[in-house]
Amino acid sequence: MEFQMCVPSLFGLEGLVADELKRLNMKDVRAENGRVLFTGEKPDIARANINIATGERILLVVGETRAETFDMLFEGVKAMPWEHFIPMDGAFPVKGHALDSKLHSIPDCQSIIKKAIVERLKAKYKVEWLKETGAKYQVQFAIMKDVAALYIDTSGSGLHKRGYRPVGNAAPLRETLAAAIVRLARYRGREELCDPFCGSGTLPIEAALAALNRAPGLNRAFAAQSFKWLDNAVWAQAKDEARDREYHGSYNIWGGDIDPDSVKIAGENAHRAGVREHIRFEVAEAAEFKRAAPGGIIVTNPPYGERVMEHQEAERIYKKFGAAVRVLDGWKLYILSSHTEFERAFGKTAVKKRKLYNGMIKCDLFMYY
């Protein structure tokens, strides 16, 4: 049986997600705004969840319908083949969002969708009551410009939750975005890679996972592992395949931070991710960063400074850091910041900028090479 699947992504990362899916030999891959669609079979549900580094979750597409009124939404949802996905005892909570649509009350949409699915399943299973005592099949909806897309979530926790970061610093960098920055920097594990503002270690850890070609989802569980119609063997097979693709090398990855507690947390996170031996963490001042060897990569997410005093302090940090790295020989820099005056404070105009989102914060990735 073939499924259409959807990978929601942070805006600006759709192309990277599509590239990952193509490397996994998924079919009919197409990128749209904020999501990437593809088709696959049952084993591909496991393969996508375990291997995708830059996407947010793996959703099964149940169907789409015009939804200008609640009646249209009800009838459209009821016509979808829910019995292919939800068994008679399955629990199916509903959540979602609406944007630029006539139907904008989320609780009302949830209620209508739930009722429509109940009516469909009662008719198909020839029962008067659905117990919902079995495994959870999370229903998600997205209503955009009066078109409702309905999904079943196979991931559970978002794919950015790799399992290595139970603790983090304030305003941490999302793992999926960190993985994307490492890929945009074209890091392949050959040159030295440094993060002078490493915080809880997300960028160096994602760099190590990329260098090792290690699947980011190997150490976590997924919602679809409890789906009745999905054999457990597909998960074991997907993990074995992923491990067979790993590289075994030694890599020169460094993370520094002025805060000793952050450095300690970064080390613990790297240990949980299984990459501690590949990263050197040090308490270090970014303004004093220096390297004699030519040709490395800096990927970093310095403090943004959301409040006025922090804003001014962030500018001072950028200025000192800019002065330190300008003397490096042949290094490439990829710096993520939401600060609107970053280039002026840093002291140099970026060769290229790419608009990205860290959670809800609009940022630019400033590229120097």
Side-chain angles (χ1 to χ4, degrees), residues 5-17:
M5 295 185 236
C6 171
V7 189
S9 78
L10 297 172
F11 284 105
L13 303 188
E14 299 91 346
L16 293 177
V17 175

Side-chain angles (χ1 to χ4, degrees), residues 77-304:
V77 172
K78 190 181 166 191
M80 293 175 190
W82 294 99
E83 65 280 3
H84 292 175
F85 303 93
I86 303 171
M88 189 159 65
D89 67 344
F92 50 101
V94 177
K95 65 181 181 184
H97 63 272
L99 199 65
D100 296 334
S101 297
K102 293 181 183 75
L103 304 183
H104 48 77
S105 165
I106 300 307
D108 287 339
C109 292
Q110 283 173 299
S111 173
I112 295 287
I113 290 167
K114 179 78 178 184
K115 193 175 165 188
I117 300 170
V118 166
E119 291 304 313
R120 171 83 183 198
L121 293 179
K122 277 174 24 181
K124 288 292 174 182
Y125 292 128
K126 297 180 170 53
V127 293
E128 285 301 311
W129 182 254
L130 295 167
K131 293 177 183 174
E132 295 196 51
T133 52
K136 184 164 96 169
Y137 298 77
Q138 178 69 60
V139 175
Q140 288 205 7
F141 66 89
I143 306 176
M144 301 277 286
K145 296 180 179 170
D146 299 323
V147 175
L150 277 294
Y151 309 103
I152 300 278
D153 177 22
T154 71
S155 299
S157 299
L159 295 183
H160 67 280
K161 294 190 175 170
R162 319 283 208 217
Y164 66 70
R165 199 173 71 181
V167 289
N169 298 22
L173 182 66
R174 198 170 243 208
E175 293 88 334
T176 41
L177 180 54
I181 292 168
V182 168
R183 280 156 178 76
L184 290 168
R186 291 183 169 79
Y187 175 63
R188 302 281 188 273
R190 296 186 189 98
E191 57 272 89
E192 183 175 9
L193 180 136
C194 298
D195 179 2
F197 298 95
C198 75
S200 53
T202 310
L203 274 162
I205 291 167
E206 291 296 327
L209 292 172
L212 291 160
N213 200 36
R214 180 169 296 163
L218 281 173
N219 298 323
R220 55 157 287 178
F222 301 95
Q225 285 175 267
S226 65
F227 287 9
K228 260 188 178 172
W229 46 266
L230 193 58
D231 194 319
N232 262 335
V234 302
W235 298 94
Q237 187 183 344
K239 286 186 176 185
D240 286 345
E241 274 178 21
R243 289 189 186 103
D244 287 345
R245 286 196 300 269
E246 282 190 20
Y247 305 139
H248 303 280
S250 57
Y251 307 101
N252 192 357
I253 302 170
W254 177 88
D257 201 281
I258 198 168
D259 176 27
D261 289 340
S262 290
V263 172
K264 181 172 177 286
I265 289 168
E268 290 165 358
N269 290 345
H271 177 73
R272 272 187 291 268
V275 296
R276 186 68 188 88
E277 67 191 279
H278 300 288
I279 309 170
R280 289 178 298 118
F281 287 111
E282 286 178 355
V283 177
E285 166 65 75
E288 292 165 14
F289 182 85
K290 55 169 83 75
R291 287 292 186 275
I297 298 175
I298 289 174
V299 290
T300 196
N301 177 39
Y304 300 159

Side-chain angles (χ1 to χ4, degrees), residues 322-335:
V325 297
R326 264 196 299 282
V327 300
L328 297 173
D329 179 15
W331 279 62
K332 294 180 280 190
L333 280 66
Y334 297 81
I335 306 169

